[in-house]
Each structure stands twice: as C-alpha cells, then as structure tokens.
Amino acid sequence: MILETFMADDKDVLRDVWFGRIPTSFTLNQDEVTEREAEPYYLLLPRVSYLTLVTDKVKKHFLKVMRAEDVEEMWFEYEGTPLKWHYPIGVLFDLHASNTVLPWSITVHFKNFPDSDLLHCPSSSVVEAHFMSSIKEADALKHKSQVVNDMQKKDHKQLWMGLQNDKFDQFWAMNRKLMEYPTEEGGFRYIPFRIYQTMSDRPFIQRLFRPVSPEGNVHTLGDLMKEMDPAALPNDGEPKRYQVVIHGIEPLLETPLQWLSEHLSHPDNFLHICVIPTPTD
Amino acid sequence: MNQPGLRASWPTRPAVLTDPAGVSERSGRVLAPGGGGRSAESWKKDIVRQLKHRDLSQHAMFQDLIRFYTQLLEKTSLAKGILSCSVRRPSSDSSSSVSSLLQRNNQLKKTTGELAYQVVELQQQIKIKECVLEEQHARLSEEERRLAGVLDARQELQERVGQVQEKNGALKMEYDVLLERQREAETRLREEKVKEGHLLEDMIHLKKQAAARMNSRNERRSRARQANLQKELQTAARSKVTVDSSSSAPTSRSTSPKKENHDPESTEKPHTRLFRSASATSPRILNSIRELFDRKRRGHSVCSLEEDLMCPVGICVSARVPVRARQALEAHEQGINAVRFSSSSDLLATGGTDRVIKLWEVRAGSLTHRATLEGSTEGVTCIDFNPTGLKILAASYDKSALLWQRDESVPKLTLTGHSRKVTAARFSSLPHQVVTGSADRTIRLWDLHRAACVQVADVPSYCSDLVCSENSIISGHYDCKIRVWDTRTVSCVQELPAQGKVTSLDISSDHRQLLSCCRDDCLQLVDLRRWSNDRMCFRAEGFKCGSDSTKAVISPDGCFLAAGSADGAVYIWNFSTGKLETRLPDQHSSSISAVSWSLSGEHVVSVDKRGLAVLWSDI
C-alpha cells in the first residue's frame, strides 16, 4: 500500500512538473511603432518549454498592429533584463519574478536586438539543437552517454516532438530510459544540475556531484547545497536568507538528490535550481 | 503607450492573496528544519503538496480568465477588422460606403449560397460513397459465407478421407495377416517336399538294393546251373556210349570263334551234314540238351544267355530242286512282301501289306497256319528268324522293326528310330544285336537288352536289303553299290559295284557267297572270301525283276539260286553251270515278290503280290 502511494505520488509529481504553467501578459514596448493601439496578450506559458517555442501567437497578435518593415527578430525583456530564450521558462520566472505579482509581465520588443545578451533564434531547429545537446550533456554525466548513444535518431526526435507539442506520454516513453540506472550503483554516475544565483557574475554553478557517497550514504539536496553554495543555506539559529527553488517550489533539504534528479528534472534532464533571496514582506 | 485598461485591475489581488499564503507557508516550513526522524514519505508528500498549491495559485486561477480574454480579443479584432476595412475605403461618399456595404452584403450572400451548394454536393458524394461502401460490405459478407461453405465442404472431404484411410489401414492389416499365413503354408509345403524327396531317395535306394540282391541271386543261380550243366556234360561225355563208327568221340569243341567270351562248351559240330530226319550223334545228348533248354525257358525275358548260346545249327547236305507245286494257298488278303523259313525248318513266316505275319508249319507237303503275329501298323517288308527260331524280327513300313517271341502274337519289342520305312531287319552275328536298314539312308545297330539303337551308320543311299555274317554287315543300295561294313566299328570297309539297283541280298550258309538281285534283271554272286571283283552274273530269258524289293535266295547247300519273276514263274539257276536249271510257272498270276528255301532243302515257298503262297517240292 505504501509502495503504491509512492508510485502514484511519483507519477503525480512528473505530471505536475510537466504541466506547470505561468500566467504571463505580453505587452508591446512603448517605443515600437504601431498603427494602432496594441492590446496586451495573455498566455499560460509552460514552465518546461522555451520562450521562442511558445510565443508564435504573441508574435501574430502584435504583428497585426505593426507594419512589416518595422519587424525584426522578436525578443523579450522583464523589468529591463533581456530574457534568455535558451533557459527554460520556469527557470526564468523563478529567478526573476518568483515572488512578484502574477501575471508575469513581459515586454515584447521587435527592434534593437541585444546581441551581447541574447542568442539569436531564427527558427525552432535552433531550439531543438540546444535542447538535444542539453540532453546529451546530462546523459554524459549520468550514464557516460551510453543510454543516449544507444537511442536511435527517431527516439531523439520523439523527445523533441514530445516537448514541442506538449505530449507528456510521448516524451516520457523515451525519457524514462534516460532515468534508469543499474541497481548496484544506487543512482546515476553524476547528477546533472545547474544552480542559478540572482546576484552572481557566473551564469550558473555546474560541477560533478555523486548521488551516493563512497560510504554508501544517500546524498540529499542539503548535501548538494552545502557542497556547491553553502551561503544559500542558513546557519543555525539564523533566519533563512535564501530560498532554494526548483519548479517554483522549495523541496525539503533532506530530499534525496537521486530522486530529485529523476522526478524534478526539466525535460532537458537537468535539475535547474534557483537560489533567490527570501522576500522580506 | 497604448495601454488598454484591461491590464490594471484584476491580476493583482489574486497575487496579493496568494503571496502571503505562500510566504507564510514557506516560512512556516523553514522554522522547523532538520527535524530528525522524517521518513521518505514526508518530503515527497511535501513536494506533492507544494506542487499542487503552486498549480492552484499560478495556473488554475488564470486559466479561464486568459481563455475568455483571448476569445474576446479575437472577436473584437474581427469586428475591428471589418470596421477598419470600411473606414479605409474612400470616405468621400457616405452613400457609396453604404452601397458598398450593401454590395459586400450581397457578395457575402452569394458566397454563402455557393458554400451551401458545395455543402450539398459534398453531402451527395458522401451518400454515393456510402452506397458503394455498403455494396462492398454486402459482397464481402457474401464471400465470407461462400468461404465458410467451402470450408465446410473441405472439412467433410477431409473426414471422408480420414474414413477411407482407416478402412485402408484395416484392409492392409488383414492382408498382412493373410500373407503371413500364406508364407507359413509355403514353408511347410517346402519342408514336405523335401521330406518327400528324401523318402523317394530312400525308396529308390531300397529298391536298388533289392534289385542288386536279386541280380546276385540270379547270377549265383545261373552259375550254379552252369556248374551243374558242366558236371552233367562231363559225366555224359565220359560215359560210354554206343555210337556208330562214323561219329567221332564226343568231345567238346568250341564252335564259333566269336563266342570266345562265353562258355566254350557249346554243342559239337560234327563234320558230316545232318539230315533233318537222321541224326548221327547220340540222341541222348541232343535230347538232354533240349530238355535243359526246355526247363530253362522262361516266359518273359526277351533273351537269355543260354538260349543264344546253345543253338543247334543245322546244315543242309543237299537241296532238291522243286518240280511241282504241292500247295497254293491264299495266305494273306493283300500282297505278301516277305517269306522266310526258320533256321530250324519248322516254321515258315509270311508277311505283307496286311500288316500281320503269319506262321505256318510245313507238314506232309502242306502249310498249316500256326499263329498270327500282329503289332505292325503298316506293311511288313522283311522277316528274319533268329538262329534258335524262337524270335521273329520284322521290318515294317511304319519306320520300326518289331520283335516277337514265337508264341506270342504281341511284339516284345518295337525298335523305333528310323525316319522312313525300314527295308531290312536282321539278327546280327552277335547274340543280342539286330541290324536294320532303312530308306532313310541309315543302318542302325540295336541292342536287344536295352531295346535301343547303339549305333547309326549313315549311308549315301537308300538301303534296300542287308545280310549279316560273322564280322560284317553287307548292305545293298539303290545307288548300285553293295557295301560291306565291319560289325564292330560300323565303318564301310568295302564297296562292291552292282549291275543295277540292288533289290535284295542273300548270303550262303557258309557265308562265302553273296547273292544280289538287281533291278536290271540280273543276279550276281560274289565270292566274299576272295574279295575279288569276279562276279558271276545270272540272267535268264523271261526273268524280270518285278519290283524294287524282289527277293532272291541261295539254296541251303549253295548249289542253286532261286528267284521269282514278274511273270509269275520261279526261276532256278545252277550255280556251278551258271545256267537256268528250271522254271516253275503257272501257279502265280501276279509278280512274285519273294522266295524262300527251307533249310532241309525240300521245300521252296514263293509268294506274290496277290497274297498267294505256293509250296513247291520235288516230290
């Protein structure tokens, strides 16, 4: 009975992670030249996808009020920060606007593309390439690339199509292979993760970390944070200064890292962890 | 710049609502960190709960709202689009704008009409397609039914096949059983046959043993008899006998050199010639010998050694030329071909076309019929008596020679082998041998014990007659030659020419002279001892050889020759003078075929083609 609830819980977690949504409002930048007034566009963005994949409707909406000659590559910005399309949407929200008022207000630009901050994304195949390379990198850490190399090209395509078309079953049919590990190991070889910090010059922290210690102890989230970003964890007695957020929630620090990697990873198989300052109000 | 008023109001409050809840929740949790003893379940449950809460606050709240907003946006944009279109038209004429509106309205109506028409068409097509589909379904179901039927039929046939196969199996088993039984029966049969063979062998063996025993017994008995005979003879020889001075002391002398392998104690052969009625020797000896013979005569044997050995040979002192006919007798119904006096002078044998041989006794100047010998299937060509007179040999047109015992009318032996008529059959000088000559150009020697031909000599020409002397066989042929054969080697040692076709041969009693009668009416006499070619030829006026088998004879004393002529008269020549001695006509009305002179010299018998036999004598 306990095992069944376990399993049911795991499935629920996977589904909830996949179908997570962020209500967003897209507002055209004031400086853009429009023929008439452009209404804002509202959209529920999937946490696990990428901006340029899911904003076709936004583009169509705003193109209605603009002339064709004024339209260049669309890019997004939140409170002055250009949003990197190659981060998952959920990560962008948790990092920049997690404790703010919903819906998330994104400003849409069609001019003055910031080449220094953002990558160009001319088509969805660019997104696909980025996505697949992340998967391969994750599997290199987990299985020394054995699993992903055993998969055929159509399997890779299935992963991408699952993400692009928002098909949970199609995606997980393939992805579960990437979540398997030999039982004698106790887990993956290394956990693929990235820790994002709001105030940092580094884009993210990514290092080798085993899920099980040499003595056989299971590593937890707390062990990881202690190792990678000890400042994120509160000292004894002090109030919490930082929040460790994954997918918009704060898992308990004793959560096993292996389980987190299996269930709370993004579709690109990485565990994206955001460390944000605790809201003070 | 252009900010629709929609933005401002509603989003914020829900955020405010959620936020403190979320914060309090989160802070609540932070205050109790690291509590020991939390199970795996708890952190997972915590995560699940958090996710649910997040979704509720972030997703669920805004979902409907955003959807309605988007729909509204679309509708307004559509309306705006229409309005803006109409606004963009050259607005010089409001009425024109109205008319254009009306036009647009009409256009729209037309398009809707067209669309409706298309809809109807498409619906019809759909209907047609549905019909076709139904038809195909129907056909498919029919086919399925047929298939089912066919499968049933197949099932049935398979069942029948199975039944037939079962029956076949049963039949085969029965057949196997029967085959087994048949084989057993066959093996038993074979065993029985083998047993039968063994039994036969045993039986034959036993019979052979019995026969051997019989033979040995017979031999012993014959030896005993011989010993007895010897003893008796010796005693008789040694006994004093009152005899004439002319007779010599009875001593045993061997007579014929050719009997060297047999008992030398044959009868004596006195120098003087015996008359039939007078005997110079002691009657006792002859009688006792005859008695011995009488006792020993056995009924069924073809020939016995004693018989052949002990045969008295009579010699004629002088023959008397016949003068008149004593008797003329219709001896046979058809023509008579052969006539012969037996060497013991008791009997006369005649034979001819009527296939029988009649035996006559000559007594007191007349012929009395004694017996008839039957058995030949065709006419008789030649008759011969054996030296004892007990056997009669005849050659026949039916390609065989027949042998009778004197007292039996059924032949003892039939010698077949020639392929054409047998013209002459004679007893050979060897005791149980017979020589036959035939028109098939062979001369055959027969063994009477085995009743089989022992030798065949091929001759170039038709053999018409033959005679036997001690070592040779002499045959006369149609090619005008007389051939002399050695008896042992059966090879021709000499050829004597004749005047014409040889019709008959006769040899004198001392075997010195050979008489041949030829078709050219000439009789030849050849001296055999000298082997010279001087021949005496005898002709006579009026003498004509009547046929190819006319027989001529030498008289027993060797002084006269007799032959029958075609004119029915008997001609008799004197040998020493070479001239015709006498002619006896008027008895035969047809050509005379044969003559015979009795051993005593008293009688001559002639026979003719009508069946008449005439007995001549000098009294």
Side-chain angles (χ1 to χ4, degrees), chain A residues 11-273:
Chain A
K11 201 81 194 298
D12 285 339
V13 165
L14 291 177
R15 290 193 86 88
D16 289 341
V17 163
W18 180 271
F19 289 110
R21 292 278 185 275
I22 298 170
T24 318
S25 76
F26 290 90
T27 320
L28 191 61
N29 181 26
Q30 293 170 356
D31 295 339
E32 303 287 332
V33 178
T34 58
E35 289 179 356
R36 48 172 216 288
E37 196 184 321
E39 292 97 356
Y41 196 77
Y42 289 87
L43 204 53
L44 283 169
L45 295 177
R47 273 180 170 272
V48 300
S49 188
Y50 299 91
L51 273 173
T52 45
L53 270 186
V54 297
T55 49
D56 284 337
K57 283 194 187 153
V58 174
K59 190 170 186 179
K60 228 195 302 184
H61 171 81
F62 287 119
L63 284 180
K64 277 191 259 178
V65 299
M66 293 184 70
R67 292 181 305 190
E69 57 269 24
D70 296 329
V71 173
E72 290 163 13
E73 191 173 337
M74 182 169 67
W75 58 278
F76 305 97
E77 157 265 306
Y78 173 72
E79 293 192 350
T81 318
L83 295 176
K84 302 186 197 316
W85 64 262
H86 58 277
Y87 284 12
I89 295 169
V91 172
L92 288 169
F93 176 76
D94 289 339
L95 201 55
H96 297 297
S98 78
N99 289 315
T100 61
V101 163
L102 290 173
W104 187 21
S105 312
I106 293 181
T107 316
V108 180
H109 294 258
F110 284 102
K111 300 192 300 210
N112 304 323
F113 193 88
D115 290 313
S116 52
D117 294 321
L118 296 182
L119 299 167
H120 283 278
C121 183
S123 70
S124 65
S125 54
V126 178
V127 184
E128 184 185 354
H130 167 69
F131 177 68
M132 292 313 299
S133 80
S134 296
I135 285 186
K136 286 174 185 167
E137 188 185 341
D139 198 56
L141 287 168
K142 288 199 275 189
H143 304 116
K144 292 199 264 190
S145 297
Q146 279 168 1
V147 179
V148 79
N149 287 340
D150 279 345
M151 289 162 78
Q152 298 176 337
K153 195 157 165 56
K154 68 176 171 72
D155 300 332
H156 296 168
K157 206 66 182 177
Q158 189 172 337
L159 288 167
W160 165 247
M161 298 304 281
L163 177 70
Q164 193 183 33
N165 302 328
D166 192 28
K167 297 263 188 266
F168 173 78
D169 294 312
Q170 185 184 8
F171 178 80
W172 270 98
M174 279 300 134
N175 198 45
R176 61 182 179 77
K177 291 187 195 171
L178 293 166
M179 292 303 175
E180 288 168 349
Y181 56 89
T183 39
E184 59 267 20
E185 300 285 323
F188 302 133
R189 190 152 179 267
Y190 296 106
I191 300 290
F193 68 91
R194 284 187 185 144
I195 301 177
Y196 301 89
Q197 293 164 314
T198 45
M199 295 293 141
S200 170
D201 47 358
R202 283 191 291 179
F204 49 77
I205 301 172
Q206 181 180 346
R207 292 216 291 269
L208 295 175
F209 193 78
R210 290 195 187 273
V212 178
S213 76
E215 297 85 33
N217 302 326
V218 171
H219 282 145
T220 63
L221 181 60
D223 295 330
L224 177 72
M225 297 315 296
K226 221 184 291 185
E227 180 73 29
M228 300 298 161
D229 188 12
L233 296 176
N235 301 322
D236 290 334
E238 281 182 12
K240 201 169 78 173
R241 279 181 294 140
Y242 292 98
Q243 285 177 315
V244 177
V245 179
I246 309 176
H247 282 294
I249 60 165
E250 273 186 272
L252 296 173
L253 289 172
E254 60 258 29
T255 314
L257 198 57
Q258 174 66 28
W259 187 91
L260 279 176
S261 178
E262 285 174 38
H263 297 84
L264 250 56
S265 291
H266 279 255
D268 63 356
N269 280 224
F270 269 89
L271 200 60
H272 296 277
I273 304 168

Side-chain angles (χ1 to χ4, degrees), chain B residues 313-332:
Chain B
V313 178
I315 289 185
C316 179
V317 172
S318 88
R320 306 203 296 262
V321 176
V323 170
R324 67 180 189 89
R326 293 293 291 280
Q327 189 186 8
L329 179 62
E330 291 264 350
H332 289 259

Side-chain angles (χ1 to χ4, degrees), chain B residues 168-469:
Chain B
N168 279 352
L171 282 173
K172 185 166 188 308
M173 283 205 305
E174 273 179 51
Y175 170 74
D176 285 338
V177 165
L178 286 171
L179 193 67
E180 266 305 312
R181 270 199 262 158
Q182 188 245 358
R183 281 207 201 105
E184 281 173 35
E186 263 186 33
T187 49
R188 264 185 275 143
L189 178 70
R190 260 183 273 133
E191 285 168 25
E192 292 301 319
K193 281 208 176 138
V194 167
K195 273 194 237 166
E196 179 195 327
H198 286 316
L199 284 170
L200 273 173
E201 275 178 29
D202 290 338
M203 228 173 49
I204 288 173
H205 189 62
L206 284 169
K207 286 225 168 124
K208 269 198 226 167
Q209 284 181 337
R213 264 180 281 154
M214 282 261 275
N215 281 341
S216 64
R217 241 187 292 152
N218 289 341
E219 257 198 53
R220 264 185 276 136
R221 266 198 232 145
S222 70
R223 265 188 264 137
R225 266 201 293 268
Q226 277 181 21
N228 260 348
L229 193 61
Q230 271 191 19
K231 261 191 256 159
E232 280 205 18
L233 283 174
Q234 274 183 341
T235 49
R238 282 195 206 101
S239 65
K240 280 266 170 128
V241 173
T242 56
V243 288
D244 293 39
S245 55
S246 59
S247 67
S248 54
T251 47
S252 57
R253 257 196 303 242
S254 67
T255 50
S256 46
K258 67 182 184 304
K259 296 181 190 159
E260 64 236 17
N261 52 338
H262 292 291
D263 194 318
E265 202 127 25
S266 57
T267 55
E268 48 186 280
K269 193 172 175 181
H271 282 300
T272 56
R273 292 176 184 186
L274 290 164
F275 281 114
R276 186 167 173 267
S277 48
S279 59
T281 54
S282 158
R284 268 211 302 156
I285 294 174
L286 279 177
N287 280 336
S288 67
I289 289 167
R290 274 216 192 90
E291 276 171 47
L292 282 172
F293 275 117
D294 286 326
R295 273 208 299 272
K296 284 172 183 81
R297 186 176 302 156
R298 277 191 293 262
H300 294 288
S301 68
V302 171
C303 61
S304 62
L305 292 171
E306 301 87 354
E307 281 179 4
D308 293 332
L309 282 174
M310 325 285 194
C311 46
V313 178
I315 289 185
C316 179
V317 172
S318 88
R320 306 203 296 262
V321 176
V323 170
R324 67 180 189 89
R326 293 293 291 280
Q327 189 186 8
L329 179 62
E330 291 264 350
H332 289 259
E333 276 135 51
Q334 292 169 313
I336 308 177
N337 294 332
V339 63
R340 181 86 58 198
F341 270 99
S342 108
S343 44
S344 54
S345 281
D346 273 336
L347 286 179
L348 175 77
T350 56
T353 316
D354 65 354
R355 306 195 303 272
V356 299
I357 294 175
K358 294 200 179 169
L359 296 175
W360 311 87
E361 263 189 40
V362 180
R363 240 189 243 127
S366 66
L367 297 167
T368 38
H369 178 242
R370 176 131 170 223
T372 308
L373 304 176
E374 291 161 349
S376 172
T377 48
E378 288 189 53
V380 173
T381 55
C382 173
I383 305 176
D384 193 27
F385 279 89
N386 80 334
T388 60
L390 292 168
K391 294 208 194 63
I392 297 126
L393 181 69
S396 162
Y397 268 95
D398 68 2
K399 307 171 202 154
S400 71
L402 298 113
L403 184 82
W404 288 262
Q405 289 278 75
R406 194 180 65 181
D407 297 326
E408 292 166 7
S409 62
V410 175
K412 201 87 204 164
L413 273 187
T414 309
L415 306 172
T416 50
H418 282 290
S419 51
R420 291 181 66 184
K421 73 174 180 195
V422 185
T423 52
R426 297 296 170 113
F427 283 95
S428 144
S429 45
L430 294 173
H432 34 80
Q433 220 179 52
V434 160
V435 185
T436 56
S438 163
D440 68 355
R441 288 181 278 174
T442 59
I443 294 173
R444 285 173 188 257
L445 265 74
W446 308 80
D447 182 322
L448 289 177
H449 276 314
R450 301 204 311 244
C453 173
V454 291
Q455 267 189 315
V456 180
D458 286 312
V459 298
S461 163
Y462 189 120
C463 169
S464 57
D465 202 358
L466 50 81
V467 291
C468 301
S469 73

Side-chain angles (χ1 to χ4, degrees), chain B residues 324-328 364-366 602-603 614-619:
Chain B
R324 67 180 189 89
R326 293 293 291 280
Q327 189 186 8
S366 66
E602 280 182 34
H603 304 278
V614 179
L615 178 70
W616 305 87
S617 83
D618 62 339
I619 306 166

